[in-house]
Amino acid sequence: MPPQPQIMVDLQFEQYMPDPDLETIAKLIAQDPGLSGALLKLVNSPHFGLSNKIGSIQRAVNLLGSRSIINLINAQSIKGEMSDETIVTLNRFWDTAQDVAMTCLTLAKRTGIQAADEAYTLGLFHDCGVPLMLKRFPNYMDVLEDAYATASEQTRVVDTENRVFNTNHSVVGYFTAKSWRLPEHISAAIANHHNALAVFRDESSRNTQTQLKNLLAVLKMAEHICASYRVLGNQNVDHEWNVVGPLVLDYIGLSEYDFENLKQTIRELGGH
């Protein structure tokens, strides 16, 4: 996945400082799904022999150290050039990925859901299949807009993609997350993030399902607050949230009134 050009400039500036600051580097990397994915893939590789996979960007940076991180940045920077048109189109993806990630982090803390850093990771990566689909299918954004426009209780966003392309960005995102060696529960959340209605209707009490519901609840609230339906889907109405939102809020234990207040607070924090 191509890294965001400005992030690469900022990272390269930091690496030439006499004493590169790991915290600054981690914050920059955490803004970019491609760089974050490459970083987590490296730290979760058999080479490091970790007993538990890491889903936190900051922990990964601290573990690797500045020299390995700089090598990783340089490797990413020499990947293929992008056209100006592609960069402009992908800005929609980059902007919403960063917004949703930060909102997931805030929501996880506000609602008492544990592993806030993993909620951030999911927010950053949940749509990582989008730029890859765009790279493969030049008309992908048009289809994605149609998918958001026709989302309903009967039709998921990914159903429209499946009909046109015989695959969708959630599936591509899942396999990308697997290749990055992200923890399985984060990969599962990426795979199911447009299948949330079925997940929340499932009354199963298995621990894995609870973990999935916790992550998806935070993500679906964050997507709605950050208006992914408008940024990516070019729609004025969040059809998907209208269907799944009541189930999500019931699961979290928030009234519609409380959520509206929370949404307003977070939007003010993010400058929306």
Side-chain angles (χ1 to χ4, degrees):
M1 186 185 302
Q4 190 172 358
Q6 187 56 50
I7 298 291
M8 295 304 300
V9 171
D10 294 342
L11 280 167
Q12 286 172 342
F13 178 79
E14 182 62 34
Q15 81 175 57
Y16 291 124
M17 299 291 282
D19 187 21
D21 182 56
L22 280 182
E23 187 173 345
T24 300
I25 289 172
K27 285 179 179 176
L28 287 167
I29 289 175
Q31 294 176 51
D32 188 86
L35 286 173
S36 298
L39 169 64
L40 291 175
K41 180 176 182 177
L42 178 61
V43 80
N44 287 319
S45 67
H47 172 73
F48 282 90
L50 301 178
S51 55
N52 294 310
K53 291 184 177 179
I54 288 179
S56 164
I57 311 301
Q58 183 68 59
R59 285 181 61 204
V61 167
N62 291 339
L63 188 64
L64 285 175
S66 59
R67 184 180 295 276
S68 295
I69 294 296
I70 287 168
N71 288 339
L72 174 72
I73 294 166
N74 290 338
Q76 291 294 309
S77 69
I78 59 175
K79 289 195 171 181
E81 293 292 319
M82 291 181 289
S83 69
D84 290 343
E85 184 180 357
T86 303
I87 288 173
V88 169
T89 303
L90 282 177
N91 275 338
R92 291 166 66 183
F93 161 74
W94 280 316
D95 288 347
T96 192
Q98 291 173 30
D99 270 356
V100 171
M102 285 303 300
T103 303
C104 279
L105 181 66
T106 302
L107 283 169
K109 291 178 178 178
R110 294 285 181 100
T111 58
I113 287 177
Q114 297 187 348
D117 57 345
E118 291 191 344
Y120 179 95
T121 299
L122 174 62
L124 191 68
F125 290 144
H126 73 288
D127 275 336
C128 66
V130 168
L132 300 174
M133 290 288 285
L134 179 62
K135 187 175 179 182
R136 175 66 178 82
F137 305 108
N139 66 325
Y140 176 70
M141 294 308 292
D142 293 334
V143 174
L144 187 61
E145 289 178 11
D146 185 43
Y148 272 94
T150 56
S152 67
E153 187 172 353
Q154 292 74 35
T155 306
R156 302 172 303 170
V157 167
V158 291
D159 289 336
T160 302
E161 293 181 58
N162 287 338
R163 176 172 51 79
V164 178
F165 302 120
N166 205 33
T167 189
N168 64 72
H169 74 275
S170 295
V171 170
V172 173
Y174 170 77
F175 286 111
T176 302
K178 293 283 282 185
S179 76
W180 285 338
R181 303 187 184 93
L182 263 64
E184 180 57 37
H185 56 282
I186 295 180
S187 299
I190 291 171
N192 283 284
H193 77 277
H194 286 298
N195 193 41
L197 185 61
V199 171
F200 284 100
R201 279 178 170 171
D202 184 354
E203 296 299 324
S204 170
S205 60
R206 292 176 302 157
N207 289 337
T208 52
Q209 196 75 354
T210 300
Q211 195 173 39
L212 177 62
K213 285 180 177 178
N214 286 348
L215 284 171
L216 286 181
V218 168
L219 177 63
K220 298 320 286 186
M221 288 190 290
E223 283 184 309
H224 178 65
I225 290 170
C226 297
S228 295
Y229 63 94
R230 188 176 295 127
V231 181
L232 286 178
N234 197 27
Q235 302 302 310
N236 292 321
V237 177
D238 193 347
H239 299 296
E240 186 179 44
W241 175 256
N242 289 343
V243 172
V244 76
L247 289 174
V248 169
L249 295 183
D250 181 61
Y251 177 79
I252 290 295
L254 281 176
S255 68
E256 184 68 39
Y257 176 79
D258 289 336
F259 179 65
E260 284 301 316
N261 285 338
L262 184 58
K263 178 167 69 174
Q264 190 61 37
T265 300
I266 290 175
R267 282 183 171 173
E268 287 171 0
L269 283 173
H272 294 292

